[in-house]
Amino acid sequence: MLKVYLSGEIHTDWREQIVNGSEGLDVSFNSPVTDHAASDDCGVRILGAEPDKFWHDRKGAQMNAIRTRKGIEDADIVVVRFGDQYKQWNAAFDAGYAAALGKSLIVLHGPDHQHALKEVDAAALAVASEPAQVVQILRYVLTGTLPA
C-alpha cells in the first residue's frame, strides 16, 4: 500500500478531491488536523492555558509538529499544497522536511506561485496545478497507466 501525506493549505477541498479521485487505488492518506480551531488550540487544551498568545501558538505549533513529522516520516509520497488565500509557511517547512528525508515530493499550487516557490518546486519530483493531476500521478505510480 502506498502511503501519502497531504500537507498544506486547509481552506479548500483539495484533499477530498485527491482522496475521492484515488478510490480503488491501493493508497492510504494521512494529513494534519484540518480543523483550524482545533489545530490552533490543541496545545493549550491539552497542556494548559497560556496568557501570552505567543506561547499559546507555540504550544499548538509544537504539538502539530509531532503529528506532521510522524506523518511525513511514515509517508512514501508527500503532497504539499500552497493555496491562494494565506501564506502557508508551515507548508514550505513540510516540503523542505520531506525533501531532506528523501521522500518523493509532489508540490501543488497555481501559476501565481510559480516564481515565489521556484526553490520548493526544484526539490519536488512533480509540480501539479490541480488535485486531479495528483490523482493521475498516483494512478501512474501504482498501475503504470496514463489518463484516457
Side-chain angles (χ1 to χ4, degrees):
M1 176 175 287
L2 188 66
K3 294 181 250 173
V4 179
Y5 189 78
L6 302 173
S7 177
E9 184 261 320
I10 66 169
H11 301 284
T12 63
D13 69 345
W14 70 275
R15 284 183 181 83
E16 290 78 14
Q17 291 178 49
I18 292 172
V19 170
N20 293 338
S22 299
E23 192 170 310
L25 295 176
D26 192 16
V27 61
S28 67
F29 294 96
N30 193 4
S31 68
V33 172
T34 58
D35 176 322
H36 202 246
S39 176
D40 283 351
D41 295 340
C42 64
V44 296
R45 293 279 303 272
I46 295 170
L47 299 174
E50 288 291 343
D52 186 313
K53 182 70 170 145
F54 174 84
W55 295 110
H56 174 110
D57 288 347
R58 185 172 175 112
K59 272 187 181 179
Q62 290 176 304
M63 292 200 49
N64 285 314
I66 295 169
R67 179 181 174 90
T68 299
R69 288 178 187 179
K70 176 72 171 140
I72 290 172
E73 289 165 5
D74 290 348
D76 299 306
I77 296 175
V78 177
V79 179
V80 181
R81 163 83 175 146
F82 292 87
D84 297 328
Q85 189 173 8
Y86 299 99
K87 304 232 185 306
Q88 287 96 41
W89 305 117
N90 58 322
F93 173 83
D94 294 353
Y97 186 61
L101 292 176
K103 300 295 177 174
S104 294
L105 175 63
I106 301 170
V107 174
L108 176 60
H109 63 75
D112 291 347
H113 287 72
Q114 284 176 345
H115 180 72
L117 294 173
K118 63 186 177 293
E119 286 85 1
V120 173
D121 290 351
L125 295 178
V127 179
S129 59
E130 299 294 331
Q133 292 174 317
V134 175
V135 173
Q136 292 169 353
I137 292 168
L138 297 177
R139 186 172 313 284
Y140 179 77
V141 167
L142 288 169
T143 69
T145 58
L146 294 171

